[in-house]
PDB file of all heavy atoms in Angstrom:
ATOM      1  N   THR A 141     107.556  86.001  62.570  1.00 92.00           N
ATOM      2  CA  THR A 141     108.625  86.237  63.467  1.00 92.00           C
ATOM      3  C   THR A 141     109.778  86.854  62.707  1.00 92.00           C
ATOM      4  O   THR A 141     110.444  87.809  63.219  1.00 92.00           O
ATOM      5  CB  THR A 141     109.084  84.939  64.030  1.00 92.00           C
ATOM      6  OG1 THR A 141     108.009  84.294  64.760  1.00 92.00           O
ATOM      7  CG2 THR A 141     110.272  85.126  65.020  1.00 92.00           C
ATOM      8  N   ALA A 151     113.723  99.764  62.551  1.00 97.00           N
ATOM      9  CA  ALA A 151     113.566 100.725  63.633  1.00 97.00           C
ATOM     10  C   ALA A 151     114.948 101.184  64.101  1.00 97.00           C
ATOM     11  O   ALA A 151     115.214 102.329  64.392  1.00 97.00           O
ATOM     12  CB  ALA A 151     112.662 100.141  64.725  1.00 97.00           C
ATOM     13  N   LEU A 164     110.699 109.379  65.267  1.00 97.00           N
ATOM     14  CA  LEU A 164     109.300 109.077  65.173  1.00 97.00           C
ATOM     15  C   LEU A 164     109.031 107.864  64.312  1.00 97.00           C
ATOM     16  O   LEU A 164     108.258 106.975  64.601  1.00 97.00           O
ATOM     17  CB  LEU A 164     108.531 110.281  64.685  1.00 97.00           C
ATOM     18  CG  LEU A 164     108.491 111.476  65.673  1.00 97.00           C
ATOM     19  CD1 LEU A 164     107.814 112.634  64.987  1.00 97.00           C
ATOM     20  CD2 LEU A 164     107.713 111.074  66.888  1.00 97.00           C
ATOM     21  N   GLY A 276      91.464  46.119 102.302  1.00 58.00           N
ATOM     22  CA  GLY A 276      91.122  46.316 103.676  1.00 58.00           C
ATOM     23  C   GLY A 276      89.706  46.006 103.968  1.00 58.00           C
ATOM     24  O   GLY A 276      88.925  45.615 103.116  1.00 58.00           O
ATOM     25  N   ALA A 285      89.172  57.759 105.407  1.00 47.00           N
ATOM     26  CA  ALA A 285      88.359  58.864 104.857  1.00 47.00           C
ATOM     27  C   ALA A 285      89.050  60.188 104.957  1.00 47.00           C
ATOM     28  O   ALA A 285      89.097  61.044 104.115  1.00 47.00           O
ATOM     29  CB  ALA A 285      86.969  58.863 105.471  1.00 47.00           C
ATOM     30  N   ALA A 384     110.526  96.978  89.767  1.00 94.00           N
ATOM     31  CA  ALA A 384     109.587  96.900  90.911  1.00 94.00           C
ATOM     32  C   ALA A 384     108.717  95.644  90.805  1.00 94.00           C
ATOM     33  O   ALA A 384     108.510  94.901  91.712  1.00 94.00           O
ATOM     34  CB  ALA A 384     108.724  98.154  90.971  1.00 94.00           C
TER      35      ALA A 384
END
Side-chain angles (χ1 to χ4, degrees):
T141 302
L164 291 174

